[in-house]
Amino acid sequence: MNALLIVFACLSLVAAQSTSTSPTVSSVSLPQPTEAGTCFDCATKPLSSLDIPPDHHRHTVYASYTFSIVAVRSVHPISIPRRDASTMEHAELPVFVTAHQASADETVSIHTTQSDPFYHRASLAVLVMMASLAQRVEATSSGISVSVNQVCNKSPVSWTKQDAYCSLNSPLLKAVYPKDSSILLTRNHTHIYGSLWYDNAQQFMCSLYECSQSIVDGKYRHVCTAGSCECSSKSTFCGGPGVTIDLTGPLKTAAGGSAFSCTQNGTDCNMYFEFLKEIFPQGLDFASCDFGECAFASANPNLVGTASVSKLTPAGIAGVVIASVLAVLALIVFGWSIAYQIYARNQPTPPPRKGVSIDFSDISYSLPSGQVLLNGVSSSAAAGQLTAIMGPSGAGKSTLLDILAGKDKRGIVSGTLTFDGVKVNPLDASKLVAYVDQDDLLLPSLTVRETLYFSAKLRLPESMSVKEKMGRVDEVLETLGLSHVAHSRVGGFGQRGISGGERRRVSIGVELVTSPGILFLDEPTSGLDSFNAHAVIEALHTLAHVHSKTVVFTVHQPRSDMYAMFDQVIVLAGGAALYAGRGVDAAQTMKQNGTPCPEGYNMADHLLDLAIQATRGSDGDHARDRSNAQSFMIDIGGGKLRKRKTNSANDHHGSNLMARSAATAAPLLTDNVLREEPGVRVGFLTQLSELVGRSLKHLIRTPSLFLAHISLAVILGIFVGGVYFKSNDTISGVQNRLGSLFFILSLIGFSSLSAIGSFAQERNLFIRERSNGVYGSMPYYLSKIFCDIIPLRILPALLTGTIAFFMVGYDNSGDHFAKFVVLLLLFAAIMGFTCLALAIAITDVGTATLVGAIVILFKMLFAGLIISQDSIPAALRWIQYISFFRYPYEGMAVNDMGLLQIKDTFDGAEVNVPAALILLKFGFNIDNYGQDLLITILLLVGLITLTGLLMHFRLKERR
C-alpha cells in the first residue's frame, strides 16, 4: 500500500494546482443510467419536421422552385411558396397533409383541391422529394401516400441528439476508487454534455462545446475545444466522504480541449480531458459503450473518413520559421558564391610578379608598455638580390621583418615604407608579399605535392586552369630541389616524413607557388644542420637572381659560404642599425673604422660580435680580445660610415640615432597605396571544397582518432544496452530508463572533449594560413563541421544511441525512434560545438579540457535527474534553463515514457499508474517534446554562431 500512497500523493499534488473560477455548467437534462444508450419505439415518435434540402429542386420540372414542408400529427394546411423565376411573382400553394398513425409506419397523405396544373406539378414535386427520404411510397384511392419511418441509431456518430452509457475501465481510477464508475453522455453535432458516476452517485458534470465530428484514420472522433465542469454536491471525487483524490481544483480550471473517440463499430472508446492529462495522460478508457437515438435516416451526417493531419504546435511553427530563415540565408550565400566563382573564372590571369625595390626609413616600433624595440632603422632591399637581416637574439630582426611584411603588430609602428618609390601601409604590404615563418606548420598527412597544390588552388586566381597550376607546382618543386620527395608525406607531430631541411623548403614552396614579387623569411635556417641550411640559402639565392625576386630574410649566425651569397646585409644591435650595405663591402668598411675582421675569421661572426658588444657596452671582455671592440659603425644605405664611441659624449650622431623615440617618428603613411596586380582571388566555394578535401584526406590517412571514436561508440552502446537490457514497465524499469538516458547523454558529453585536443593540432596552422591569405575563417569553420563535428561527434552518438535504444527496450512504436535520434544528434552537435568553442577561447589544452569537464558536470547537475528542480534555490533556478542537458533529457524521457503504464507489485499491493506521474515529479511535462526540440535547436544555432564569431575574431595573428 505504500506505493499506492505515494501515487495518491502525486495525484493530490496534481489535483491541487489552480483553483481559479470557471464558468458554471449549463443546466442540462441528462438521462438516467437505466435510460441512456437505448432507442424507445422510434415508430411512436411524431415526425416533427422534414426539411427539403435546396438542391432537391432538381427533381422537379421547374428548376426555379424551392419547396419546404412541415408535417404534424394532424390534418394541417401546408403553405408552399411559389416563386416564378421570370415574373418574380409569389403564390401560396394550399396543400393538405393528412397524417395518421399506422401500426408500423407514419403515413402522410398529400392531396390538393386545386385544379391548376401548377399545383398538381407542385404536389408531384413534393411527392418526389419526400419519396427520396421515405421508406415506402404508395398510391391510394384518395391520391398518393408517403410513409416515413424514424430509425434507431446505435453507432457512435451522433445524428441529431444521442444518449450514451459507458462503463469505465481505467486501471489507475480502479486502484484509487475500486467501485464501479461510468459516464453518461448526451451529444449532438456541436455539444457534449456528460456526467461521471461512481457507485451510482453523480460526481461531476461537464458541458463541452465548439465540437465537431470526424472519422480520421478509420476511427470516430468527437473533439471539443471549449467547455467547463463543476462538481456535484458532496461527491466523493470532489472532497466528499471517501475522498482519495480531490478533483475540485482541476475541474474548476477545465477549459475544453476534450475528445471522445471510438472505433466505427462503437468499441475501444476513450474520453480524453486536457485538464486531467497529468493524471490520465492517455484519457479514460471505457470497457463498453451503448449508444442510441431515434432519428430520420436523412439526419445521418454520413461522415467521410480522412487521413490524420498533424497540426503544428507553436514550437513546431517556430521551428519551421527558423529552418526557413536558415534555408533562405544558405541559398543566398550559395547563390552569391556561385555568381562570384563564375565572375572570378572569367577574369584575366595576372602575370607572375617581379621583384620590387624596398626602401624604408626611420622605422620605429614600441610596445604598449613603452618599451622600444626598433629605433629609427633605415635601409633598402633591391629586386633580384638576397638581403639578410642579422643580429644577436633580441636585436629586433623578426620585428623589423614583420613590419616590412605588413604583419599585424600589437604595438605602435612609425616610419616610411616604399615599394618601387610608392608609399604603402602595412595592410597593403601584406597583400603583395609572401611570408615564411620561423616554424614549419604543415599538415603531416599530405604529400609534398599535395601541400603545394593546395596552396596553389587557394592562392592562385580562379581564372588559371588546373594544368597551369600544376605546372606552377612542378616549377617550384624543381627550383627548391624537392622533385625526388614530391610524393612523400611531409610528416611531423610524431609522424615520419621528409627531413627538416626538405620540410623547410616545402614551407618556402607554399609561398613560392603564388610567384610573389617579394619573399620574406624568418630564420629559414633555424634548426637545420649546416648542409641543409646551405641548401636553403642556395635555393633563395637562385630565386632572387634567376627569377628576379626580392628576397629578405633573417639569419642568426650563418656560415662563411652562406654569407658569401648575401647581396645585402643589415646588422641590428639593440633595435638600431649597426651596419647596412653590401655583404662583400663589410670587411673593408670594418677595417676603415678600426674594427677589422681577423684574417680567416668568418665575417658574419665578426659582425655578430660587434653587435653584441654594442649592445652590452665597451667595458665587457670579448673572447676574441679585439682592441677596438668598443666601437661599431652604422651605414644608412648610402655607404657613408659613422663611427660612435660608446664612452664619448661629444659624438652625438650615434647616440642621437640610438636614443630616438619611436613615438616621435612619423607614422606609416596610408596614401598613394601600391595596388595589387589585376586578378580575383578564389571564391568561397573553392575554399570550402579544398578545405573539406584536405580535411578528409587527413582524417582517412590518420585513422586512429576516427576509428577510436567509432569503436568506442559501438562498445559503449553495447555496454549501456547490456547494463539496462530490456528495461520493463515496472518501477525499477522506469528507474533504469531514466538512468540509461542520462548515462547516454553523459557519455556523449565527455567524449566530445576530444574536440579540444583535435583542434589544438590545427590551431596555429589555421592562424598562419589565414594571416597569409590562403582562406577565410568561414570556409575553414564549415570544413570543421563537415570533417570533425559530423564524423567524430554526431556519427558516434548515432551508433551508441541506436544500439542502446533497441537493447534497452525504449518505446519504438510510431515515430519514437526518430524523435529519440533527432534529440540525441542535436545534443551531440551541441557538445561538439561547446568543446570547439572552448578550444578556440583557451589556448592551453589542459586548461580548456578542465574547463570543459567542469562545464559538462555543471550542466548535468541541472538536467532534472540528480536534483529536483523544485529544490533548486530561487537565486540559482535560472541556471537550469541554459543547461544543455535539460531539454534533450526531458524530451527523450517524455518520448519514451509519456504513454508508458507502470505495472508492478509493491508490498503486496498492485500498482498500475501512468509513468507520466513519475515524470511530473521530476518536473517534466509530457507535452513538452516539441518545446524541448525547439529550444535544443535554438541552443545549437546560438552555439554555432558563438563558435563562428570566436573563430573569426579570436584566432587572429598578433605579433
Side-chain angles (χ1 to χ4, degrees):
M1 293 301 295
N2 291 338
L4 287 178
L5 291 176
I6 294 174
V7 173
F8 297 159
C10 297
L11 296 179
S12 300
L13 176 65
V14 176
Q17 290 174 347
S18 173
T19 58
S20 60
T21 304
S22 63
T24 303
V25 179
S26 303
S27 177
V28 179
S29 178
L30 293 171
Q32 294 300 308
T34 58
E35 300 176 352
T38 62
C39 289
F40 298 104
D41 190 359
C42 292
T44 64
K45 289 192 174 183
L47 175 62
S48 58
S49 66
L50 176 61
D51 294 328
I52 306 301
D55 61 345
H56 280 201
H57 67 264
R58 71 186 62 173
H59 296 291
T60 69
V61 293
Y62 296 102
S64 60
Y65 298 116
T66 301
F67 303 97
S68 64
I69 178 173
V70 176
V72 295
R73 293 185 57 80
S74 61
V75 176
H76 186 77
I78 302 299
S79 294
I80 301 179
R82 173 187 178 186
R83 183 184 182 197
D84 194 311
S86 60
T87 64
M88 301 300 292
E89 295 179 355
H90 295 265
E92 297 297 324
L93 172 62
V95 177
F96 292 90
V97 179
T98 302
H100 63 274
Q101 184 65 42
S103 60
D105 303 320
E106 181 175 1
T107 302
V108 180
S109 299
I110 302 176
H111 62 91
T112 177
T113 60
Q114 302 293 325
S115 59
D116 188 337
F118 164 76
Y119 298 122
H120 290 287
R121 289 192 295 269
S123 297
L124 179 62
V126 173
L127 167 65
V128 172
M129 287 182 287
M130 294 188 68
S132 67
L133 305 174
Q135 291 185 343
R136 184 171 72 249
V137 179
E138 296 178 346
T140 65
S141 59
S142 60
I144 305 170
S145 67
V146 180
S147 297
V148 181
N149 282 348
Q150 286 186 318
V151 298
C152 182
N153 172 29
K154 301 286 289 183
S155 75
V157 179
S158 175
W159 291 5
T160 56
K161 181 181 179 182
Q162 185 189 72
D163 298 330
Y165 172 82
C166 300
S167 59
L168 285 168
N169 183 30
S170 172
L172 174 60
L173 189 63
K174 197 72 173 177
V176 178
Y177 294 108
K179 297 181 180 181
D180 293 337
S181 300
S182 60
I183 284 183
L184 302 179
L185 299 172
T186 294
R187 301 181 298 125
N188 58 29
H189 294 253
T190 59
H191 290 74
I192 297 179
Y193 306 100
S195 63
L196 189 144
W197 294 65
Y198 174 68
D199 194 20
N200 295 322
Q202 184 173 265
Q203 303 299 309
F204 61 85
M205 296 176 59
C206 290
S207 174
L208 310 174
Y209 47 93
E210 296 182 7
C211 307
S212 61
Q213 300 183 99
S214 62
I215 295 179
V216 181
D217 293 336
K219 191 167 186 177
Y220 168 76
R221 288 176 57 82
H222 201 171
V223 179
C224 302
T225 59
S228 60
C229 299
E230 66 179 26
C231 290
S232 298
S233 176
K234 298 182 180 179
S235 63
T236 303
F237 281 32
C238 297
V243 64
T244 303
I245 305 175
D246 189 354
L247 298 181
T248 304
L251 288 171
K252 286 185 177 181
T253 60
S258 304
F260 177 76
S261 60
C262 285
T263 60
Q264 293 189 60
N265 59 4
T267 60
D268 297 331
C269 297
N270 177 278
M271 189 73 192
Y272 174 80
F273 294 99
E274 179 73 22
F275 61 91
L276 293 177
K277 65 181 180 180
E278 286 83 5
I279 306 175
F280 306 105
Q282 301 178 44
L284 295 170
D285 291 328
F286 298 145
S288 62
C289 283
D290 294 321
F291 305 94
E293 66 173 319
C294 288
F296 297 108
S298 61
N300 187 343
N302 293 316
L303 299 177
V304 178
T306 59
S308 61
V309 178
S310 299
K311 294 183 179 180
L312 286 177
T313 61
I317 295 174
V320 171
V321 171
I322 293 173
S324 301
V325 171
L326 293 177
V328 169
L329 291 177
L331 287 175
I332 292 174
V333 172
F334 181 77
W336 175 86
S337 301
I338 290 291
Y340 181 86
Q341 191 174 56
I342 295 173
Y343 165 76
R345 289 178 177 177
N346 292 325
Q347 296 302 302
T349 302
R353 298 188 185 100
K354 297 296 182 180
V356 300
S357 177
I358 302 175
D359 294 286
F360 53 94
S361 61
D362 292 331
I363 298 295
S364 299
Y365 176 72
S366 60
L367 297 175
S369 61
Q371 181 183 1
V372 177
L373 300 184
L374 290 178
N375 196 353
V377 178
S378 301
S379 188
S380 64
Q385 293 188 353
L386 191 63
T387 302
I389 302 176
M390 299 172 54
S393 299
K397 304 186 299 295
S398 297
T399 302
L400 177 60
L401 193 72
D402 290 343
I403 293 173
L404 298 180
K407 293 294 182 179
D408 189 11
K409 304 293 290 184
R410 299 177 184 272
I412 302 172
V413 181
S414 61
T416 303
L417 175 64
T418 64
F419 288 176
D420 278 342
V422 179
K423 295 178 181 178
V424 297
N425 61 23
L427 293 179
D428 290 294
S430 64
K431 300 176 183 178
L432 302 172
V433 305
Y435 191 96
V436 179
D437 268 285
Q438 181 174 340
D439 300 321
D440 297 322
L441 291 177
L442 303 169
L443 206 61
S445 58
L446 298 184
T447 65
V448 173
R449 179 179 292 278
E450 288 171 343
T451 301
L452 298 183
Y453 185 62
F454 175 80
S455 180
K457 286 279 288 183
L458 293 184
R459 303 182 71 178
L460 293 176
E462 288 267 16
S463 55
M464 286 187 68
S465 65
V466 173
K467 183 178 180 180
E468 291 176 313
K469 292 177 181 179
M470 289 300 298
R472 183 70 63 84
V473 170
D474 292 335
E475 180 183 344
V476 171
L477 289 172
E478 185 67 28
T479 301
L480 297 178
L482 295 172
S483 299
H484 65 288
V485 292
H487 300 287
S488 301
R489 293 190 186 182
V490 173
F493 299 114
Q495 300 182 28
R496 295 182 61 86
I498 58 178
S499 66
E502 291 167 338
R503 190 176 296 113
R504 179 54 52 87
R505 279 179 277 165
V506 172
S507 298
I508 297 172
V510 167
E511 302 297 326
L512 287 185
V513 292
T514 63
S515 187
I518 308 169
L519 179 63
F520 291 101
L521 304 98
D522 189 15
E523 298 280 1
T525 62
S526 178
L528 301 181
D529 56 60
S530 59
F531 176 81
N532 282 305
H534 183 274
V536 169
I537 298 300
E538 187 175 29
L540 296 177
H541 185 270
T542 302
L543 184 67
H545 285 262
V546 176
H547 298 281
S548 299
K549 306 294 184 182
T550 303
V551 181
V552 182
F553 66 98
T554 62
V555 63
H556 183 68
Q557 196 169 5
R559 290 190 333 185
S560 57
D561 57 347
M562 294 165 54
Y563 179 84
M565 290 186 282
F566 298 167
D567 297 300
Q568 295 284 333
V569 175
I570 302 172
V571 182
L572 297 181
L578 175 68
Y579 172 79
R582 296 175 58 191
V584 295
D585 295 338
Q588 184 63 30
T589 302
M590 295 301 105
K591 183 177 180 180
Q592 292 177 355
N593 287 274
T595 55
C597 178
E599 186 176 353
Y601 192 70
N602 183 4
M603 188 64 209
D605 291 339
H606 181 65
L607 291 174
L608 186 61
D609 290 344
L610 293 178
I612 293 175
Q613 289 234 348
T615 304
R616 294 179 178 177
S618 61
D619 54 348
D621 295 334
H622 190 273
R624 308 296 182 194
D625 193 23
R626 289 187 293 273
S627 59
N628 293 322
Q630 74 275 14
S631 303
F632 66 95
M633 285 70 62
I634 303 173
D635 179 8
I636 309 300
K640 182 178 179 180
L641 299 177
R642 288 183 251 175
K643 181 178 180 181
R644 180 176 73 94
K645 299 287 186 179
T646 57
N647 57 353
S648 173
N650 297 326
D651 192 347
H652 64 278
H653 296 285
S655 61
N656 185 43
L657 180 62
M658 292 293 290
R660 183 183 301 171
S661 170
T664 62
L668 285 172
L669 300 180
T670 59
D671 55 350
N672 300 324
V673 175
L674 182 65
R675 299 298 178 187
E676 193 175 2
E677 287 92 336
V680 180
R681 288 187 56 195
V682 297
F684 175 85
L685 290 180
T686 302
Q687 295 182 39
L688 178 60
S689 61
E690 291 300 319
L691 283 166
V692 170
R694 184 179 74 165
S695 298
L696 287 177
K697 287 180 182 177
H698 180 66
L699 190 64
I700 294 172
R701 293 176 182 177
T702 54
S704 58
L705 185 62
F706 178 72
L707 292 179
H709 277 81
I710 297 300
S711 58
L712 283 176
V714 173
I715 293 172
L716 291 175
I718 296 174
F719 174 78
V720 174
V723 171
Y724 298 100
F725 186 71
K726 295 301 178 184
S727 296
N728 52 29
D729 54 3
T730 62
I731 295 176
S732 60
V734 170
Q735 180 185 7
N736 290 342
R737 289 170 180 268
L738 289 172
S740 61
L741 290 173
F742 187 80
F743 188 61
I744 290 172
L745 294 181
S746 301
L747 286 176
I748 294 173
F750 283 106
S751 64
S752 299
L753 291 173
S754 63
I756 297 176
S758 177
F759 179 75
Q761 297 180 358
E762 299 182 19
R763 180 190 182 94
N764 292 333
L765 177 63
F766 165 71
I767 296 175
R768 176 76 54 80
E769 291 179 336
R770 181 189 179 189
S771 66
N772 289 343
V774 180
Y775 48 77
S777 60
M778 183 55 66
Y780 177 78
Y781 183 40
L782 292 178
S783 72
K784 289 296 293 181
I785 294 176
F786 293 139
C787 302
D788 185 282
I789 299 296
I790 293 177
L792 300 182
R793 319 297 158 203
I794 295 180
L795 182 57
L798 177 62
L799 292 174
T800 300
T802 301
I803 295 172
F805 183 89
F806 292 102
M807 290 186 66
V808 175
Y810 298 129
D811 184 3
N812 60 0
S813 61
D815 57 356
H816 287 268
F817 175 66
K819 290 181 176 180
F820 169 84
V821 168
V822 168
L823 275 179
L824 187 71
L825 299 188
L826 288 174
F827 175 77
I830 284 176
M831 296 313 304
F833 281 105
T834 300
C835 294
L836 182 58
L838 290 173
I840 295 172
I842 304 174
T843 304
D844 182 68
V845 176
T847 304
T849 304
L850 175 62
V851 173
I854 293 176
V855 168
I856 293 174
L857 289 171
F858 198 74
K859 300 298 183 183
M860 288 170 57
L861 177 63
F862 295 94
L865 179 67
I866 299 177
I867 183 174
S868 172
Q869 297 177 11
D870 296 332
S871 303
I872 303 174
L876 300 176
R877 194 163 297 170
W878 60 271
I879 301 177
Q880 64 181 312
Y881 300 112
I882 60 173
S883 171
F884 303 148
F885 278 80
R886 171 184 166 83
Y887 303 103
Y889 184 59
E890 179 185 33
M892 294 165 70
V894 301
N895 176 63
D896 176 54
M897 294 185 292
L899 301 178
L900 182 69
Q901 195 75 15
I902 301 176
K903 300 175 182 178
D904 205 346
T905 302
F906 192 83
D907 286 345
E910 291 187 359
V911 177
N912 194 332
V913 297
L917 293 174
I918 306 299
L919 297 178
L920 183 65
K921 289 299 294 180
F922 283 99
F924 296 155
N925 190 325
I926 62 173
D927 293 329
N928 273 5
Y929 180 87
Q931 174 181 301
D932 293 331
L933 178 62
L934 176 61
I935 295 177
T936 303
I937 293 174
L938 291 176
L939 287 173
L940 177 59
V941 172
L943 272 172
I944 291 174
T945 304
L946 174 63
T947 307
L949 292 175
L950 280 173
M951 182 168 287
H952 181 75
F953 293 104
R954 170 72 173 165
L955 299 182
K956 287 186 176 181
E957 189 176 45
R958 293 288 189 272
R959 294 175 177 260

